[in-house]
Amino acid sequence: MKQILHDLWQTYLIEVQRVFRDGGVVLIFFIATILYPLIFGAVYKNEMIRNLPVAVVDESKSEASRRFIHKLDNTPEVNVHYHCCSMAEARRLMQQRRINGILLFPRDYDQRLSELRTARVCLFCDMSSFLYYRTVLTGATMVLVDEMQTIQLQRYSLKGITGESAEELVQPIPYDDVKLYSPQGGFTSFLVPALLVLVVHQTLFLGIGILSGTTREERRLLKVVPAHLRANTHGRIRVVLGRALAYFTMYVPVVFVDLFLMPRWFNLPHIGQATTLLAFLLPFLLATIFFCMTVGSLIRERDTGMVAFMFFSVILLFLSGAIWPQYNMPAFWRAFGYLFPSTHGIQGFIKINTMGATLASARFELIMLWLQVILYFTTSCLALRWVQKLKL
């Protein structure tokens, strides 16, 4: 036992020294892991897009259309920046990127309302960005619903139905709009938590990949065989555990800052229990470390780690299910995403930290992460043996 602890400690010290001797890895492990979340939080700070410019083409020029336009201009989502005389003028503004939406009132808008017929309003949205479309559509829809109620009340008033009786006919089932787990209903609250977890996963992936590539380059160019590549079967297990312990201890403060402090600093949803989150993040961090060590054994050059990092980052974000629901993915890609600790880490972190779930509610992700700890620890040892055997 004393020899085992000694070997673990020596491997731990060697790996820590390797990290701190490499300026690129230090930058990734301790600077990028803090800088990326700060940038994400600052860029997406406002949660919602507000005051998008739109143009109005009012061919009706009636009291009803002016009332609609006035309500639209007072919404937080959009501002009526231009009153155009024709659709051609409005289209030019859209092509020049000066507006993100067009609202058209036909000539017969007021006439159809006065005849108790269905009137038509045309909305044209900028689809170059989903957020533009969503914001303009939300503002216009809210005004449309309110205006429909106003028109219905006016029509009931003509029939002699007023007061509470008319209001009950207009809205027979009152409802409250409650946004669960994201009071603002914004973009930041659902995207940034996933990015925070992915930052932990990908910086470990990049840093360990660079270290592995550097080791292989030194072995080929300097003909120096590192100690961990000369280890026997028992030695390989100690090397893997010692290196993993080094990464683990260095990343505990990173995880605390990124996944505990950052959501609070940027006022992201964080209703989960700290103890529950800690119990979940333990297998996530271990699975990520062993996964990165396994993949790192395939990297033969220092620059290859950067290429792999850039290639996988966006893919892992989409496979995680944070942007597109997993149940809507083809079975192959859903299964492929299960190979990466980031997929289960993101899903479990959102459940626990954003939705306040217990470990029982996140048991699928928890079980998968512990299985990955066992799997990738085994593959790390086998990969080390493979590298030794082939003298790569």
Side-chain angles (χ1 to χ4, degrees):
M1 178 60 68
K2 185 176 180 180
Q3 183 63 41
I4 293 175
L5 293 177
H6 177 268
D7 292 345
L8 288 174
W9 177 246
Q10 290 299 316
T11 305
Y12 173 87
L13 291 179
I14 292 172
E15 199 65 21
V16 170
Q17 290 172 2
R18 292 179 63 214
V19 169
F20 283 98
R21 280 200 302 260
D22 193 315
V25 177
V26 170
L27 179 65
I28 294 165
F29 277 5
F30 304 108
I31 305 299
T33 51
I34 306 301
L35 189 59
Y36 280 145
L38 289 175
I39 293 174
F40 295 148
V43 170
Y44 300 114
K45 180 181 179 181
N46 294 328
E47 285 276 359
M48 301 286 292
I49 295 179
R50 302 293 188 187
N51 301 319
L52 275 180
V54 299
V56 170
V57 181
D58 186 7
E59 297 179 350
S60 173
K61 294 182 174 60
S62 61
E63 180 183 350
S65 62
R66 287 193 294 270
R67 183 177 64 237
F68 194 110
I69 296 170
H70 177 72
K71 290 180 180 179
L72 183 67
D73 195 33
N74 286 325
T75 62
E77 287 82 11
V78 300
N79 276 343
V80 179
H81 280 209
Y82 298 94
H83 292 262
C84 300
C85 298
S86 65
M87 277 298 296
E89 181 184 354
R91 279 197 295 268
R92 282 196 298 270
L93 292 173
M94 180 76 82
Q95 292 168 358
Q96 295 169 3
R97 311 294 297 169
R98 296 166 67 181
I99 59 174
N100 299 106
I102 303 172
L103 197 66
L104 170 64
F105 293 88
R107 294 182 185 277
D108 62 349
Y109 176 75
D110 185 63
Q111 179 183 350
R112 296 178 70 88
L113 289 178
S114 61
E115 294 174 355
L116 304 183
R117 298 164 62 194
T118 300
R120 185 167 60 97
V121 178
C122 300
L123 177 66
F124 303 87
C125 297
D126 181 358
M127 283 294 293
S128 63
S129 169
F130 174 75
L131 291 179
Y132 292 157
Y133 164 75
R134 176 181 181 270
T135 302
V136 174
L137 183 63
T138 298
T141 301
M142 296 303 294
V143 174
L144 180 63
V145 171
D146 184 73
E147 188 65 10
M148 288 171 58
Q149 293 177 351
T150 301
I151 294 170
Q152 285 179 311
L153 287 173
Q154 290 175 348
R155 292 181 176 180
Y156 283 130
S157 178
L158 293 175
K159 296 179 180 180
I161 304 174
T162 59
E164 292 183 1
S165 299
E167 292 178 359
E168 289 177 357
L169 290 173
V170 171
Q171 191 178 14
I173 304 177
Y175 66 92
D176 293 324
D177 183 16
V178 180
K179 298 179 177 64
L180 296 176
Y181 314 122
S182 178
Q184 298 88 351
F187 186 73
T188 307
S189 295
F190 95 89
L191 177 64
V192 172
L195 291 176
L196 294 177
V197 178
L198 193 61
V199 163
V200 174
H201 185 280
Q202 288 300 89
T203 52
L204 264 170
F205 180 83
L206 178 56
I208 294 176
I210 289 175
L211 287 174
S212 299
T214 302
T215 299
R216 305 280 279 279
E217 287 181 353
E218 290 175 348
R219 185 179 183 182
R220 290 198 307 270
L221 297 176
L222 304 177
K223 306 301 181 181
V224 175
V225 181
H228 67 274
L229 295 183
R230 299 193 298 266
N232 55 23
T233 302
H234 297 294
R236 283 191 290 268
I237 296 176
R238 298 171 194 176
V239 165
V240 170
L241 290 176
R243 293 179 63 200
L245 181 61
Y247 301 136
F248 183 85
T249 54
M250 285 185 283
Y251 255 72
V252 166
V254 170
V255 169
F256 177 74
V257 172
D258 284 2
L259 303 184
F260 281 87
L261 296 185
M262 289 295 177
R264 287 159 176 78
W265 286 348
F266 293 108
N267 199 29
L268 301 175
H270 53 275
I271 61 176
Q273 294 291 327
T275 53
T276 302
L277 194 56
L278 283 172
F280 177 80
L281 292 177
L282 173 62
F284 166 69
L285 188 54
L286 290 175
T288 302
I289 290 171
F290 290 130
F291 168 80
C292 295
M293 291 172 64
T294 299
V295 177
S297 64
L298 305 176
I299 296 176
R300 303 188 61 180
E301 296 178 357
R302 183 180 176 89
D303 296 338
T304 307
M306 179 63 72
V307 175
F309 167 82
M310 296 175 64
F311 177 78
F312 278 104
S313 293
V314 176
I315 294 176
L316 294 182
L317 181 60
F318 279 93
L319 290 177
S320 70
I323 293 180
W324 186 256
Q326 287 181 321
Y327 64 82
N328 242 7
M329 296 180 187
F332 170 80
W333 291 109
R334 188 165 59 249
F336 182 67
Y338 286 169
L339 297 175
F340 301 94
S342 59
T343 300
H344 309 295
I346 289 172
Q347 287 293 322
F349 180 75
I350 291 174
K351 285 183 179 180
I352 295 171
N353 196 61
T354 302
M355 305 171 67
T358 62
L359 285 178
S361 300
R363 64 179 177 274
F364 173 76
E365 290 78 13
L366 188 66
I367 291 172
M368 290 299 294
L369 286 174
W370 277 117
L371 289 176
Q372 286 183 338
V373 171
I374 298 172
L375 171 65
Y376 290 128
F377 169 73
T378 304
T379 55
S380 296
C381 296
L382 293 176
L384 182 56
R385 179 185 178 186
W386 176 73
V387 172
Q388 291 172 331
K389 184 176 180 180
L390 298 182
K391 298 181 180 180
L392 295 175

